[in-house]
Amino acid sequence: MNEEINELLSIYEQEKKLIESIIEEDRIDNDYKAIRINSKNLNRIQRQIALIKSLIDPYIQEKEQLKRTIDFFVKKSELEESNEYRTHMLAQIDQKLDQLNSYKPGYFNDGQEFDDAIFDLVEQKIEGFIFNLKKENKLALLFKRKDKEILLSVTNIKKLKKQHILDKNSRTILKSIGFKEEKHLDSLVFTYSLDNFKNAIFIKTIVSRVVFDAFYFQELDKETTIEIF
């Protein structure tokens, strides 16, 4: 999985470099209309890159902040004599970084049936499907297509909250992945654009985060099931 998602990241980064070079040419030509259009495309790709990086490593921003703090203390040490406080803080930061670096994301791989369902949805051969995670409690991911987007939804959130399945920590993780609460739908919804759809890797990575991060402690079904409609 790491090779596949890193390959996807590499594709987006190459596309980013290409658009940046095109924008530079537009600037030389004073083509402001093209700059505006390509800048929008660049922003979209940068958001995708940021999201993929957060899926590969959800702690990347925290790590970068800790590294900046280390740099701050190191620069101070060059100007001042060493002191116990700085030594203590650096030791704590190193320990925290070790903890964050030990994180290993799980990867969901439910075989060919899931891949086929995704491609059938993209090609509009089906209206959608339900991916049951804990069927007895109606914990599932609902997949539907809307125009040029796939909507991934955690449904029945009121009931799941009452059952303490969708607790505050789970909701925080889902929202950090990109899910947004839609109260009128009683759902948390992730919107995936099909503009650059190539394969199911990105969607399966989202599902991996849902399964292994948001609902890791929920004793999910040993054999997940898919209901196509």
Side-chain angles (χ1 to χ4, degrees), residues 28-177:
I28 294 171
D29 296 335
N30 294 319
D31 190 342
Y32 300 110
K33 183 178 179 181
I35 290 172
R36 186 169 62 254
I37 294 170
N38 287 316
S39 293
K40 287 182 180 179
N41 290 330
L42 180 61
N43 289 335
R44 174 182 54 78
I45 291 168
Q46 287 175 328
R47 287 195 297 271
Q48 287 292 94
I49 289 172
L51 179 57
I52 293 172
K53 284 183 176 179
S54 72
L55 292 172
I56 295 171
D57 184 357
Y59 302 111
I60 188 166
Q61 290 186 353
E62 188 175 353
K63 287 179 184 178
E64 289 175 352
Q65 178 59 47
L66 289 171
K67 289 174 182 176
R68 285 194 291 270
T69 305
I70 289 174
D71 290 340
F72 169 75
F73 280 117
V74 169
K75 286 179 180 177
K76 284 199 74 175
S77 69
E78 293 172 356
L79 301 172
E80 304 171 1
E81 291 184 9
S82 180
N83 60 51
E84 291 184 7
Y85 170 74
R86 186 161 57 241
T87 303
H88 172 70
M89 288 300 297
L90 284 170
Q92 282 195 324
I93 293 170
D94 283 338
Q95 185 178 5
K96 181 65 176 176
L97 277 172
D98 286 341
Q99 290 175 351
L100 296 177
N101 286 327
S102 67
Y103 169 82
K104 301 293 181 186
Y107 179 57
F108 150 80
N109 187 351
D110 207 54
Q112 192 61 40
E113 185 183 7
F114 186 89
D115 286 50
D116 290 344
I118 291 293
F119 277 94
D120 285 347
L121 184 58
V122 171
E123 295 167 8
Q124 296 181 296
K125 293 179 180 178
I126 59 174
E127 287 186 31
F129 65 93
I130 298 169
F131 179 60
N132 293 302
L133 301 179
K134 196 173 185 179
K135 193 170 184 179
E136 181 182 0
N137 297 95
K138 294 188 176 179
L139 173 59
L141 279 171
L142 171 66
F143 291 76
K144 292 187 76 174
R145 176 164 176 167
K146 181 181 178 183
D147 300 325
K148 292 185 178 180
E149 298 172 335
I150 288 181
L151 305 180
L152 290 72
S153 304
V154 178
T155 57
N156 305 304
I157 61 175
K158 288 181 182 176
K159 184 177 180 180
L160 294 174
K161 286 178 183 177
K162 288 180 181 178
Q163 294 175 331
H164 304 291
I165 292 174
L166 188 63
D167 57 19
K168 185 176 180 180
N169 183 60
S170 296
R171 296 197 301 274
T172 300
I173 291 171
L174 288 170
K175 288 178 181 178
S176 73
I177 295 170

Side-chain angles (χ1 to χ4, degrees), residues 180-206:
K180 294 181 180 179
E181 187 167 352
E182 302 286 353
K183 291 184 179 180
H184 64 291
L185 299 173
D186 191 28
S187 301
L188 283 158
V189 182
F190 181 94
T191 303
Y192 174 72
S193 173
L194 291 171
D195 286 342
N196 294 285
F197 179 81
K198 297 176 177 67
N199 51 47
I201 296 170
F202 189 90
I203 294 174
K204 291 172 81 169
T205 306
I206 296 289

